[in-house]
Amino acid sequence: MRKENLSDAAIASFKNSYLALVSGASGIIAESDITPAAGFPHLEKDLKAKIKINPELLKETVVLKLNGGLGTSMGLDKAKSLLPVKGKDTFLDLTAKQVMAFRQQFKSNVRFILMNSFSTSSDTLSYLSKYPTLVADPNLELLQNKVPKVDAATFAPVEWPTNRSQEWCPPGHGDLYAALDGSGTLDRLLADGVKYMFVSNSDNLGATLDLSLLTYFAESGSSFMVECAERTEADKKGGHLAVRTSDGQLILRESAQCAKTDEAAFQDVTIHKYFNTNNLWVRLDKLKEAIRAAGGLIPLPMIKNGKTVDPKDSKSPAVWQLETAMGAAIECFTGSSAVVVPRTRFVPVKKCSDLFLLRSDTYVLTPDGTPALAPSRNGTAPLINLDDKAYKLVQQLEAATKGGVPSLVGADRVSIQGEVWLSSGVIVQGTTSIINSSKEPKVLPKGIYKDATIDLTSAPGLGALRPTAVATAPIPGQKPGTSGLRKKVVEFQSPHYLNNFVQAVFNAVADFGTDVTLGGSLVIGGDGRYFNPEAIQIITKMAVANGVKRIMIAKDGLLSTPAASAVIREKGPVWQKAFGAFILSASHNPGGPTEDFGIKYNIENGGPAPEKVTNAMYTYTTTLTSYKIAPDFPDVDVSKVGNTRVASADGSAGVVVTVFDGLEEHVKLLKSIFDFEAIKTLLARKDFSFVYDSMSGVQGPYARKVFCEELGASEKCLLNAVPKDDFGGGHADPNLTYAHDLVHAMGVDAKGNPVEAKEGVVIPAFGAAADGDADRNMILGRQFFVTPSDSLAIIVAHADVIPFFRDQGGLKGVARSMPTSGAVDLVAKRLNLSLFETPTGWKFFGNLMDSREMGGANYTPFICGEESFGTGSDHVREKDGMWAVLAWMSILAHYNKEEGEPLVSVESIVREHWTTYGR
């Protein structure tokens, strides 16, 4: 613990628990050693009318929220407080709004602290950045300590080299006192004149700073006060207050401290009538005195929890996690007390049934962000009993309520057994039971259900839309790079490999706010390489299982990477707009059964998923235990353009699959960018000829559409224009080494040097090539090679000949990747353009293109490029090989307007550029 820089206070606290463990102490509090607690004053009945609130006490008060929990029991691996509670508002949102509303109401900057754990700190502080007045406080965070997990066999600190972080665990919320003392926070607060601390859990939104309670606590002279509430059947498994017989001390007994033989008495709410809400009031000066008196700690009872060192691996070594409960400190203070509060101050979320109820219309939000029971409830919440297996995890609850949360405001008791899918059109009233004993989810039809028992077991199910959870395990090495995940085909064909990654993508994008169930479209397509057809069917079935309602697949599965970006950004009415795309490509890497396959995900702006999202994808691949797939969903015939709607057997839902022309959107966009008439005029010149090499990749159909159908060129200009799943056995990388056919046709060698043409052979004036997924380009003139860096600089220098830039007032920003030469820098300096150097990866260019949307300066229209034969602009969020070729044709058209004048060649344009701007 010292090696981890933990404080003396943290070590002393753990030592106390550890010595209790090795001494053989069980931590059990026997029923025979206590008597029921009684005689507590009621806030509403006894105190409120007598209390004259004192707002001046706020100057001496700090509010502390415990925010160390991950909610692992509910299937979460991030801060539980990041869960949406009402609409898009999370626990953190509502807590922040409560604090700000309170400060405004009382014109007092009440101190606020979040006690985060090492597992929740980063996510929490990042999320709260939307509330600058809160995060500006340097004292916002108090970091919870961590303690070693104890090997259950040896009582030594457990060793787990596989993942050292799993050798540690949080010490429970009883660590509050050691964290306050060891961090110096307690001394700082006391020095600032702070005397009173109100503590509650971040998942209890009913626990707000109440001036009546603050005034009562201050005037009572109590050193430590617990807010308790009257137990009901719903609370019988939680801890309760009691009086220790031996000394008459008020204590707290948790369920983990109850012997099996005492469970009946423990759960009898007529015997033990009061439970601890975990809303505590502490006199900080008395806390300091108690710590000193006990030798540097608050000696809390030890609670031992039996686990495995890796919670997700039941075969990993058994450990004890030693914890303490902060409410147990009630026995460490003389003069401690309790007050009975209404249930409105206790609205926790410990399991999915709590979250289900809180999200429903049973609770409404007050103006300050506090959930309150709807007036018609008369202060009593309905009892909710959700199937422990079907609704144990948040993911299961959200799958069941993706159609909306039903109305529960008129319900008394609701029981749901088995997997039942609900919607906002369902109204439950009175005492109602819903049963599904089948092995597949069943949809409860919209309607009013009052005092009824509904058995859906024999009802029609989802049929072809039925999702199935397939057990899997993490597969090493699935970390996506800047261009997605690329591996050998045989690896992608191995069991679960593609499925795991696709599920990780769905999970990650959901974490960052993309709800795929809301009706937008998912685009699927790729460069036509080997394994694309099978991958398309797998992704489609998984998309259905994950709730996607509209899937757009490019005809024959062929969709260039820039075209995919264009489809996301441009295609369809607003309600059908794509939220993202799976692009099946390994770019310029070889294809075929023994070669490469790749997959990447582009987000709603048309660009590659940003690093924070790809990092989340990778994290999911390391923890995944199952993926969703709809095995009965029919295979899609991707050879025919059209719409197909597949309905569920019960008629409750449907999925629309659209097979679309993958050329249309991109070509339409290019026609809006360039002057096609000017390029037609160029191509019609008798002294101008060109060739375009698609290298047997996806660009072939686009080249035929653009050059032959739109611009009127002969098909003789096309090389390798038929897509092949192995790229014709070649390496579809448009450079001097691999674009053999183009290099030969243009009269250069593998180093770009001119080669003398054979007698009678006419070398074209212009040539270009694309890679497998059509985002790269190589430009050649007659016996002349244009470097990618020069190509970028020359396009930038001539941007105004392209309507897209000219008609928007001219180019504003340019960028190049770090390894790219500074040719464009010279142009930017001369033309006074904003210039940027970025890391390698097109997503970094995308950040600049979207600067305005993120609150920064506007750099669009924008051109960017890299030395690896990638060039593009802000028309899409990918590099675009066809765009670069049309840009060059536009430049050539500009210099060759006059039919009778000699042709201005590519080489002469480049050499003139060097003369003007330098090299």
Side-chain angles (χ1 to χ4, degrees):
M1 291 179 77
R2 292 201 186 282
K3 284 182 181 178
E4 293 291 316
N5 297 316
L6 292 162
S7 67
D8 290 342
I11 294 170
S13 182
F14 177 73
K15 182 179 179 181
N16 182 66
S17 294
Y18 182 76
L19 291 177
L21 175 71
V22 298
S23 71
S26 64
I28 296 298
I29 300 174
E31 184 71 21
S32 58
D33 293 336
I34 58 175
T35 57
F40 301 136
H42 285 64
L43 175 65
E44 298 294 328
K45 297 177 186 176
D46 305 326
L47 302 176
K48 211 150 196 180
K50 303 174 184 177
I51 297 170
K52 184 178 180 181
I53 62 171
N54 181 4
E56 289 298 309
L57 293 170
L58 294 173
K59 298 175 183 176
E60 303 174 83
T61 303
V62 61
V63 176
L64 188 145
K65 281 281 187 181
L66 302 174
N67 191 50
L70 290 177
T72 50
S73 63
M74 295 172 67
L76 303 175
D77 57 6
K78 289 189 175 181
K80 184 179 178 182
S81 56
L82 292 174
L83 260 180
V85 181
K86 283 290 189 183
K88 293 184 178 180
D89 280 338
T90 66
F91 288 103
L92 277 179
D93 286 309
L94 295 178
T95 297
K97 291 175 181 179
Q98 289 172 359
V99 171
M100 292 187 295
F102 193 91
R103 287 176 174 176
Q104 184 175 11
Q105 180 184 356
F106 291 99
K107 303 294 187 290
S108 173
N109 191 29
V110 179
R111 292 168 177 83
F112 175 64
I113 295 175
L114 276 171
M115 188 167 92
N116 294 325
S117 68
F118 58 92
S119 300
T120 64
S121 175
S122 177
D123 287 338
T124 296
L125 296 180
S126 174
Y127 188 83
L128 282 177
S129 62
K130 61 166 78 173
Y131 301 104
T133 57
L134 287 184
V135 294
D137 183 352
N139 300 312
L140 172 65
E141 181 179 60
L142 171 67
L143 201 58
Q144 186 180 18
N145 294 301
K146 59 180 182 178
V147 297
K149 295 178 182 178
V150 179
D151 191 306
T154 66
F155 286 0
V158 73
E159 292 279 338
W160 193 240
T162 304
N163 186 348
R164 291 292 184 186
S165 68
Q166 290 181 331
E167 296 174 353
W168 298 85
C169 63
H173 45 60
D175 180 60
L176 167 66
Y177 311 110
L180 281 168
D181 188 33
S183 66
T185 302
L186 178 57
D187 288 338
R188 176 180 54 78
L189 290 170
L190 289 169
D192 288 346
V194 179
K195 191 173 183 180
Y196 309 105
M197 178 173 68
F198 171 58
V199 188
S200 62
N201 291 330
S202 63
D203 68 354
N204 181 10
L205 292 168
T208 57
L209 180 58
D210 185 293
L211 261 178
S212 298
L213 281 167
L214 172 60
T215 304
Y216 170 71
F217 177 60
E219 293 177 353
S220 70
S222 176
S223 54
F224 187 98
M225 185 174 77
V226 170
E227 291 184 32
C228 64
E230 294 172 333
R231 295 173 91 202
T232 66
E233 283 296 303
D235 313 305
K236 66 181 183 180
K237 293 184 179 180
H240 65 79
L241 293 172
V243 176
R244 192 161 53 211
T245 308
S246 62
D247 59 2
Q249 176 64 46
L250 193 59
I251 66 169
L252 172 65
R253 179 167 71 159
E254 299 285 359
S255 56
Q257 296 170 299
C258 174
K260 283 281 184 185
T261 53
D262 289 337
E263 272 189 6
F266 180 93
Q267 294 185 12
D268 191 332
V269 299
T270 65
I271 298 175
H272 297 294
K273 297 182 179 180
Y274 302 104
F275 71 91
N276 168 30
T277 64
N278 233 28
N279 302 344
L280 307 179
W281 297 83
V282 184
R283 275 273 298 269
L284 294 181
D285 53 342
K286 298 297 183 183
L287 173 61
K288 187 69 176 179
E289 290 174 12
I291 290 171
R292 285 176 178 163
L297 76 158
I298 296 294
L300 299 172
M302 177 268 295
I303 300 173
K304 63 178 185 179
N305 283 319
K307 307 276 186 180
T308 55
V309 62
D310 181 348
K312 296 182 178 179
D313 182 359
S314 60
K315 295 180 180 178
S316 62
V319 296
W320 291 116
Q321 291 186 190
L322 304 185
E323 300 178 6
T324 55
M326 68 174 184
I330 196 169
E331 65 182 74
C332 301
F333 289 83
T334 54
S336 57
S337 61
V339 59
V340 182
V341 296
R343 298 292 295 224
T344 52
R345 290 191 59 75
F346 185 67
V347 192
V349 173
K350 303 302 179 188
K351 50 189 180 179
C352 286
S353 56
D354 300 327
L355 184 61
F356 180 57
L357 189 61
L358 191 54
R359 286 178 171 176
S360 78
D361 56 358
T362 302
Y363 282 92
V364 295
L365 289 180
T366 62
D368 69 348
T370 302
L373 284 167
S376 62
R377 293 301 313 172
N378 295 318
T380 304
L383 293 175
I384 305 296
N385 177 24
L386 297 184
D387 188 302
D388 286 340
K389 290 184 178 179
Y391 304 98
K392 177 179 174 62
L393 307 180
V394 169
Q395 295 89 334
Q396 294 171 307
L397 176 66
E398 293 187 338
T401 56
K402 62 186 177 184
V405 179
S407 171
L408 302 175
V409 71
D412 298 319
R413 286 177 177 265
V414 180
S415 172
I416 303 177
Q417 299 302 309
E419 196 172 355
V420 178
W421 285 9
L422 306 157
S423 70
S424 55
V426 169
I427 300 170
V428 183
Q429 298 176 343
T431 299
T432 296
S433 177
I434 305 160
I435 303 163
N436 173 23
S437 300
S438 72
K439 294 182 179 179
E440 65 169 311
K442 297 292 177 70
V443 176
L444 182 65
K446 296 178 181 179
I448 299 173
Y449 300 91
K450 182 175 183 179
D451 296 323
T453 297
I454 303 99
D455 192 337
L456 298 171
T457 305
S458 301
L462 294 171
L465 307 189
R466 175 181 63 89
T468 297
V470 178
T472 188
I475 299 173
Q478 289 195 318
K479 185 174 180 62
T482 57
S483 297
L485 181 66
R486 297 179 185 176
K487 300 286 182 180
K488 293 296 180 184
V489 167
V490 291
E491 197 159 358
F492 272 100
Q493 289 174 320
S494 63
H496 308 311
Y497 193 92
L498 175 62
N499 308 72
N500 276 22
F501 186 76
V502 171
Q503 189 62 59
V505 172
F506 279 123
N507 292 353
V509 298
D511 285 350
F512 287 92
T514 298
D515 188 342
V516 303
T517 70
L518 292 181
S521 300
L522 174 69
V523 177
I524 306 174
D527 59 14
R529 67 180 55 236
Y530 193 87
F531 192 57
N532 266 28
E534 297 87 345
I536 287 170
Q537 302 299 338
I538 290 170
I539 294 168
T540 298
K541 294 173 192 288
M542 291 189 67
V544 172
N546 279 276
V548 178
K549 293 182 173 65
R550 185 174 291 274
I551 302 166
M552 296 197 300
I553 305 173
K555 182 179 180 295
D556 298 321
L558 296 177
L559 188 66
S560 75
T561 294
S565 184
V567 168
I568 295 171
R569 295 173 63 83
E570 307 288 340
K571 188 173 179 62
V574 171
W575 64 279
Q576 293 180 7
K577 283 287 187 185
F579 55 77
F582 281 102
I583 302 175
L584 307 177
S585 170
S587 189
H588 55 286
N589 290 16
T594 62
E595 298 295 350
D596 294 344
F597 185 78
I599 179 172
K600 73 170 182 173
Y601 184 82
N602 280 29
I603 60 173
E604 66 273 5
N605 75 341
E611 202 163 11
K612 63 183 180 182
V613 180
T614 56
N615 286 342
M617 292 174 191
Y618 174 63
T619 299
Y620 273 113
T621 69
T622 65
T623 59
L624 211 62
T625 58
S626 68
Y627 60 80
K628 299 175 188 175
I629 193 165
D632 302 325
F633 194 81
D635 284 352
V636 179
D637 181 356
V638 298
S639 68
K640 299 175 182 176
V641 171
N643 294 328
T644 302
R645 186 177 189 273
V646 180
S648 61
D650 63 4
S652 65
V655 172
V656 175
V657 179
T658 299
V659 178
F660 68 97
D661 179 354
L663 312 179
E664 182 180 2
E665 215 62 52
H666 190 217
V667 174
K668 184 169 68 175
L669 179 60
L670 292 171
K671 289 177 70 176
S672 74
I673 293 170
F674 298 101
D675 184 346
F676 267 44
E677 289 303 316
I679 298 173
K680 272 186 185 181
T681 301
L682 170 72
L683 269 55
R685 285 181 63 124
K686 293 178 181 179
D687 56 354
F688 182 83
S689 59
F690 78 100
V691 287
Y692 188 79
D693 189 353
S694 297
M695 301 190 76
S696 299
V698 74
Q699 188 77 309
Y702 294 86
R704 181 170 285 103
K705 179 72 174 178
V706 171
F707 297 128
C708 302
E709 296 180 26
E710 295 291 344
L711 295 173
S714 165
E715 291 211 7
K716 292 179 182 179
C717 71
L718 304 180
L719 301 177
N720 303 306
V722 177
K724 298 178 181 178
D725 64 5
D726 64 350
F727 305 125
H731 190 156
D733 193 354
N735 58 43
L736 294 168
T737 302
Y738 294 114
H740 309 290
D741 293 345
L742 177 68
V743 168
H744 176 73
M746 295 305 297
V748 294
D749 63 17
K751 293 185 177 180
N753 298 315
V755 174
E756 188 174 341
K758 293 181 180 180
E759 187 175 347
V761 174
V762 178
I763 297 174
F766 179 73
D771 65 337
D773 68 330
D775 62 350
R776 298 187 180 204
N777 73 93
M778 178 171 65
I779 303 297
L780 294 168
R782 181 178 289 131
Q783 297 177 303
F784 189 82
F785 168 62
V786 183
T787 70
S789 301
D790 279 336
S791 178
L792 170 64
I794 290 165
I795 293 173
V796 167
H798 293 85
D800 279 351
V801 308
I802 300 170
F804 180 83
F805 302 104
R806 180 190 64 220
D807 296 348
Q808 292 188 76
L811 188 63
K812 290 187 176 66
V814 297
R816 61 171 175 82
S817 62
M818 288 178 180
T820 304
S821 89
V824 74
D825 302 33
L826 302 175
V827 179
K829 183 177 181 180
R830 174 79 67 90
L831 301 182
N832 195 29
L833 300 172
S834 296
L835 170 71
F836 300 91
E837 181 184 65
T838 72
T840 300
W842 207 261
K843 65 182 72 176
F844 300 109
F845 293 139
N847 292 341
L848 291 165
M849 295 177 194
D850 292 329
S851 171
R852 178 173 55 181
E853 284 73 13
M854 296 186 286
N858 179 23
Y859 301 116
T860 60
F862 186 85
I863 292 177
C864 50
E866 53 194 15
E867 91 297 339
S868 55
F869 296 87
T871 327
S873 82
D874 60 292
H875 68 292
V876 291
R877 294 299 182 269
E878 292 281 3
K879 47 185 174 276
D880 189 343
M882 182 62 77
W883 176 92
V885 172
L886 291 174
W888 263 97
M889 286 186 165
S890 298
I891 295 167
L892 285 163
H894 171 72
Y895 284 108
N896 292 285
K897 294 176 183 176
E898 301 299 328
E899 176 69 31
E901 295 295 322
L903 184 75
V904 178
S905 69
V906 170
E907 181 177 357
S908 61
I909 291 172
V910 174
R911 293 192 181 282
E912 180 63 27
H913 177 87
W914 291 341
T915 300
T916 303
Y917 294 99
R919 295 190 68 178

